[in-house]
Amino acid sequence: MAQKAPTTNTAEIRPIKKTSFSAIIKRDFKKHWQLYLIMLPVLAWYLTFCYGPLYGLAAAFQRFNVRKGIAGSPWIGLKNFVDFFESFYFTRVLGNTLRLNLMDLIFAWPSSILFALLLNEIGNSKFKRTVQTMTYLPHFISTVVVCGLIVDFSAVNGVFNDVIGALGGTRISLLTKSNLFTPIYVLSNIWAGMGYGSIIYLAAIGGINSELYEAAMLDGAGRLRQTWHVTLPGLMPTIVTMLIMRIGNILNVGYEKILLLMNDANREAAEVISTFVYQKGLVEASYGYSTAVGLFNSIICLIFLVLANTISRKFSETSLW
């Protein structure tokens, strides 16, 4: 006899009760309250120094007056932006910023990756730790001290000119030559950041499955082929992520180092957006104008970040979001 299909009693089916977002947060807070407590100082820092000052962006659209404040200063629309775009300094500071960042991206950033690959090949652990310590130290030296050394070494009677003179060249003050400012800036960045920047890549190399190296050795791959076919593919997600972040900061150049190395002779090649904002805002007290320039810089960086992330997500499996 044919058996009847079991019937489902609709009365027994209970609707799934949806949990509200606030209830999920409360339950998670009770379970992990220690982690939330640790997060509070970081959250306070971001709210105070990153999100709190966003209110001040309104000054970019005002003829800002310190005594009247944002509420009392007259609104002038996009005049501050137009004045910047039409000024003589626009093409100069934008071109210098892009040039310094691109040269730093092409030469200084890959140096950390190459250094990490070279360190990974050192078998003597004691020698490896010694090299790491020596290359990490420049990162922790004060920017003022580093720039002071660069200024002294680049002087007519400095170490660099001693080498130039020994090779038969003519002694010159290197920092007074506009065409030499970019190489000096990039080379000093390599010296100061190569070792410290390699930490994240060394950590990524340590996370690569050792069985992949064993399989490559069984296939007859030497150290160079292991690096090319195992280490680099394993590093690629980290490299792409760091590249996206670097592209997102394509117009951000720290003003401290530039200011300490800049002089009247090399100003034409050294002045960037951050130093221009410092000059207009803090020195000339043109707060609305400097805020507009800084806002323009941030918008361009955001556009570059979104484009880089979109391209990376389209052609690879790695992206920030």
Side-chain angles (χ1 to χ4, degrees):
M1 294 179 63
Q3 295 182 356
K4 290 184 178 180
T7 58
T8 304
N9 189 357
T10 56
E12 297 179 356
I13 300 177
R14 297 179 180 178
I16 299 174
K17 186 179 179 180
K18 294 183 178 180
T19 306
S20 63
F21 180 74
S22 60
I24 295 174
I25 293 296
K26 290 179 181 179
R27 185 171 63 243
D28 191 69
F29 181 80
K30 290 180 180 179
K31 187 177 181 181
H32 305 291
W33 65 270
Q34 298 93 338
L35 297 178
Y36 283 93
L37 188 62
I38 295 173
M39 187 181 69
L40 283 179
V42 178
L43 183 62
W45 186 90
Y46 272 98
L47 290 175
T48 304
F49 297 104
C50 295
Y51 292 99
L54 290 178
Y55 171 72
L57 291 178
F61 307 94
Q62 296 177 321
R63 188 176 290 107
F64 184 75
N65 186 292
V66 178
R67 290 179 298 175
K68 296 180 180 179
I70 291 178
S73 299
W75 294 88
I76 57 174
L78 299 176
K79 188 177 186 306
N80 287 324
F81 295 91
V82 174
D83 290 344
F84 175 59
F85 297 151
E86 293 180 348
S87 70
F88 162 78
Y89 297 100
F90 175 69
T91 54
R92 187 169 84 177
V93 298
L94 183 61
N96 290 340
T97 305
L98 286 172
R99 186 185 69 255
L100 287 176
N101 265 305
L102 286 175
M103 292 298 103
D104 196 67
L105 181 65
I106 293 171
F107 296 103
W109 176 66
S111 66
S112 297
I113 303 173
L114 180 60
F115 186 67
L117 294 173
L118 293 174
L119 276 179
N120 186 55
E121 299 300 319
I122 298 177
N124 189 325
S125 58
K126 185 176 181 181
F127 178 71
K128 183 177 181 179
R129 288 195 299 269
T130 303
V131 173
Q132 285 179 294
T133 303
M134 293 176 64
T135 53
Y136 294 169
L137 284 177
H139 175 79
F140 299 99
I141 300 176
S142 170
T143 303
V144 177
V145 175
V146 171
C147 292
L149 291 173
I150 295 173
V151 171
D152 289 341
F153 291 168
S154 302
V156 176
N157 58 347
V159 176
F160 297 152
N161 274 292
D162 290 341
V163 176
I164 294 173
L167 296 175
T170 304
R171 289 176 174 268
I172 56 172
S173 180
L174 300 179
L175 282 176
T176 60
K177 300 296 180 181
S178 298
N179 60 327
L180 295 179
F181 182 84
T182 300
I184 292 173
Y185 178 84
V186 174
L187 288 173
S188 62
N189 281 353
I190 294 174
W191 172 75
M194 180 180 65
Y196 186 80
S198 66
I199 294 176
I200 189 170
Y201 301 108
L202 286 171
I205 292 173
I208 298 175
N209 193 344
S210 59
E211 294 180 358
L212 296 175
Y213 291 101
E214 295 174 2
M217 291 175 63
L218 291 175
D219 290 339
R223 297 299 300 176
L224 184 60
R225 287 191 174 274
Q226 290 178 39
T227 300
W228 184 260
H229 294 288
V230 179
T231 308
L232 279 177
L235 270 179
M236 198 52 63
T238 304
I239 293 174
V240 172
T241 301
M242 298 303 293
L243 178 60
I244 293 173
M245 296 176 68
R246 287 296 296 265
I247 293 176
N249 286 293
I250 195 67
L251 291 184
N252 288 335
V253 180
Y255 69 92
E256 301 95 342
K257 189 174 183 179
I258 301 292
L259 282 177
L260 292 169
L261 296 178
M262 186 168 60
N263 53 54
D264 292 336
N266 63 21
R267 182 178 296 274
E268 185 177 350
E271 191 170 30
V272 295
I273 291 178
S274 58
T275 59
F276 185 72
V277 170
Y278 170 83
Q279 176 69 26
K280 291 294 181 180
L282 296 181
V283 179
E284 300 180 14
S286 182
Y287 300 113
Y289 185 80
S290 62
T291 303
V293 178
L295 180 58
F296 163 77
N297 183 68
S298 299
I299 292 173
I300 298 301
C301 287
L302 177 62
I303 293 173
F304 272 103
L305 178 64
V306 173
L307 287 176
N309 188 77
T310 303
I311 294 172
S312 176
R313 189 173 63 244
K314 183 176 181 180
F315 294 98
S316 69
E317 298 179 356
T318 305
S319 62
L320 297 181
W321 66 83

